[in-house]
Amino acid sequence: MIPLELYILLASIMFTIGLYGLITQKNGVKLMMCIELLLNSANINLVAFSAYQPNMNGQVFALFSIALAAAEAGVGFAILIALYRLYGTIDLDNISAMRW
């Protein structure tokens, strides 16, 4: 069995990459991918801790989190497509629709 520390290390590396991308990227699609990395790192932690416990609560919660991430991705990409049709770009610095 793989030690729990390796799962935590993998999840922390994924979370760090996702957080760095979320802070530095300006492209809408890349931002969505970074958010997915953040959510998947949390899912890895949930499943890893659930595997080392006698209950299945973490795995069930991870399934709900995956469903929530899929819904978030669908809505996010729909918003990006609408912004692209309106402005012709998905670079979020050039879009001023949500600013005062």
Side-chain angles (χ1 to χ4, degrees), residues 1-65:
M1 180 176 259
I2 299 175
L4 183 61
E5 292 84 14
L6 291 179
Y7 287 116
I8 296 172
L9 179 67
L10 174 66
S12 63
I13 290 171
M14 284 178 58
F15 190 84
T16 308
I17 292 170
L19 189 63
Y20 175 75
L22 193 66
I23 292 170
T24 60
Q25 296 297 320
K26 307 213 183 307
N27 189 343
V29 176
K30 289 181 183 178
L31 284 175
M32 296 291 293
M33 289 173 25
C34 291
I35 291 171
E36 291 296 322
L37 273 175
L38 292 172
L39 291 172
N40 284 331
S41 68
N43 288 337
I44 288 174
N45 278 333
L46 286 170
V47 172
F49 282 116
S50 177
Y52 284 89
Q53 298 294 326
N55 60 11
M56 302 289 284
N57 292 339
Q59 294 179 9
V60 171
F61 191 68
L63 285 175
F64 284 120
S65 176

